[in-house]
Amino acid sequence: MNKRVNTLVLLVLLLTGLSYGCIGSTNGTQTATEKPKVLTISTTTSLYDTGILENVVAPIFKEKYNIELRFIPKGTGGAILDAKSGASDAILVHALPKEQAFMEEGYGVNRKVFAYNFFVIVGPKDDPAGIRGLSVSEALKKIVEYGRAHPDKIVWVSRDDGSGTNTKEIALWKNAGFDFNELKNESWFGTTGAGMGNTLLYTSERKAYTLSDIGTYLKYQKEGKINLDVLVDKGEELINVYAIIIINPKKIPDKDFEGAMLLAEWLTSEEGQKAIAEYGKDEFGRPLFYPAVPVLKSEQGDVFRWILKYGFMKDGDKYTECPEKFRYQPKYDFFEFPASVVEG
């Protein structure tokens, strides 16, 4: 009898020890038996539609930190509205004026630039407007000329959704001498109010032109979903800079500030930057996005200056990814450079 009792006691102690070993760790590392936390991220569709977030970022982040990433894909404007309503812990966006306004209103802190690629103007292979190889402004002027000569067909398709791509498009039309709000009332100018993927599908169907980020275009073209050519891809104004902004816990206190900061740290870490650099190489023969941190560390080259000019904020006599007044309990450093680098 005593022998049986002793055996049972030993068994209970062994199971207790194993259980403790599974759920506890002296070094603070998360383990697979713990229920993962969930971090909600509002993101631009041009990141989401490429698959990099769900196929690369989320799996690695969950394995490393036992935190699941839940994405709400919308245009930058929609992502910002969601964040303001308290739906997300951080946002991944690419529209500097909207980002700065979001932070000025007190909603965002600790902005970090983590990636870039380029916008492109895509259109039919036969290129009826004759824009192939032109500068951005010359190409847009040709499209307007062709559109007004063919008022019975859709020649240009705009997302017109307040997204980062739409924000860039409006600026490009302005640089070419046109008012976006006036153009979109003309019969040849179509709008979707949708994300990048759906806009590309509609543009291809109508054999029209549109502005796209290169990542979504490459994915959809490779998968045979669209039949469009890259016709204009030159010019510093086409650079497309992505940043993560953490929701300010003083403005919306129930958000996971620590988890969001951890994501920002990982995205800009050596591991995160390598993951960004590798995504797309095997399938497309080139990355869909480029890591921004190595370029910023190099402090040289055209792309370095373009990232500062189109992706950094002016803060006194310097350009920075996050002005000092928008920093809250930061656990990482911020890149900042003299204004003379950009302004000469």
Side-chain angles (χ1 to χ4, degrees):
M1 180 68 177
N2 288 340
K3 189 173 182 180
R4 181 180 297 175
V5 171
N6 288 339
T7 302
L8 289 172
V9 169
L10 286 172
L11 182 59
V12 170
L13 288 172
L14 178 61
L15 290 172
T16 302
L18 287 172
S19 175
Y20 178 77
C22 288
I23 63 173
S25 175
T26 56
N27 62 10
T29 303
Q30 299 284 354
T31 60
T33 55
E34 291 183 81
K35 183 177 180 180
K37 292 167 57 179
V38 176
L39 196 67
T40 302
I41 310 297
S42 293
T43 175
T44 170
T45 61
S46 62
L47 277 172
Y48 186 82
D49 285 349
T50 65
I52 190 173
L53 298 180
E54 291 199 321
N55 297 332
V56 176
V57 175
I60 296 175
F61 196 72
K62 183 180 179 182
E63 182 178 356
K64 192 175 183 70
Y65 301 109
N66 199 32
I67 299 176
E68 287 186 358
L69 298 179
R70 172 176 168 263
F71 299 106
I72 306 175
K74 293 187 176 181
T76 292
I80 285 175
L81 288 175
D82 280 349
K84 286 182 177 181
S85 71
S88 52
D89 301 297
I91 59 175
L92 304 177
V93 285
H94 63 144
L96 187 62
K98 291 180 183 291
E99 295 170 43
Q100 190 150 4
F102 177 72
M103 297 173 79
E104 289 284 0
E105 292 169 8
Y107 288 98
V109 295
N110 299 346
R111 177 181 182 268
K112 288 291 290 181
V113 168
F114 65 90
Y116 72 95
N117 61 14
F118 291 88
F119 290 105
V120 289
I121 296 178
V122 299
K125 294 181 183 296
D126 60 352
D127 185 22
I131 70 168
R132 192 185 297 271
L134 297 179
S135 69
V136 178
S137 291
E138 288 304 312
L140 292 177
K141 289 174 183 177
K142 281 270 194 179
I143 286 171
V144 171
E145 180 182 337
Y146 181 79
R148 288 173 175 170
H150 299 81
D152 57 336
K153 63 181 292 186
I154 297 296
V155 172
W156 178 267
V157 178
S158 170
R159 286 176 60 172
D160 193 24
D161 63 346
S163 62
T165 304
N166 183 219
T167 300
K168 172 63 74 171
E169 179 201 351
I170 292 170
L172 294 177
W173 281 119
K174 183 177 180 180
N175 290 344
F178 301 99
D179 183 281
F180 174 79
N181 289 318
E182 293 178 0
L183 285 178
K184 72 178 185 179
N185 290 322
E186 299 189 27
S187 61
W188 57 271
F189 197 104
T191 62
T192 64
M196 196 68 257
N198 286 333
T199 298
L200 282 169
L201 292 172
Y202 181 71
T203 302
S204 183
E205 177 188 327
R206 301 305 294 260
K207 298 181 179 179
Y209 298 88
T210 194
L211 180 74
S212 174
D213 69 283
I214 187 64
T216 311
Y217 166 79
L218 286 173
K219 186 171 189 295
Y220 275 56
Q221 186 79 350
K222 176 75 173 182
E223 293 174 351
K225 294 180 178 179
I226 57 175
N227 185 24
L228 298 167
D229 270 10
V230 172
L231 301 172
V232 177
D233 62 355
K234 300 293 189 297
E236 65 178 64
E237 64 268 42
L238 292 176
I239 196 166
N240 182 22
V241 181
Y242 291 94
I244 180 171
I245 303 176
I246 314 302
I247 304 307
N248 186 355
K250 295 178 72 175
K251 186 78 169 182
I252 306 179
D254 63 337
K255 298 293 98 184
D256 187 353
F257 177 75
E258 296 299 328
M261 288 289 288
L262 199 60
L263 177 59
E265 287 185 80
W266 183 82
L267 284 171
T268 53
S269 70
E270 185 175 344
E271 182 183 24
Q273 292 287 282
K274 183 179 179 181
I276 291 168
E278 293 297 319
Y279 185 67
K281 278 187 177 180
D282 291 340
E283 186 174 358
F284 305 103
R286 59 179 288 182
L288 299 193
F289 303 92
Y290 299 98
V293 173
V295 178
L296 294 170
K297 284 183 175 179
S298 76
E299 299 187 27
Q300 59 185 349
D302 288 338
V303 172
F304 165 67
R305 288 186 289 273
W306 297 348
I307 290 176
L308 266 57
K309 183 175 180 179
Y310 296 97
F312 271 43
M313 300 177 183
K314 183 76 177 292
D315 189 22
D317 60 354
K318 60 194 174 188
Y319 277 78
T320 175
E321 56 189 338
C322 184
E324 291 185 18
K325 64 181 178 179
F326 302 137
R327 301 175 189 179
Y328 179 78
Q329 297 181 1
K331 296 182 179 179
Y332 42 70
D333 296 327
F334 299 94
F335 284 106
E336 51 188 42
F337 304 95
S340 58
V341 175
V342 176
E343 300 170 3

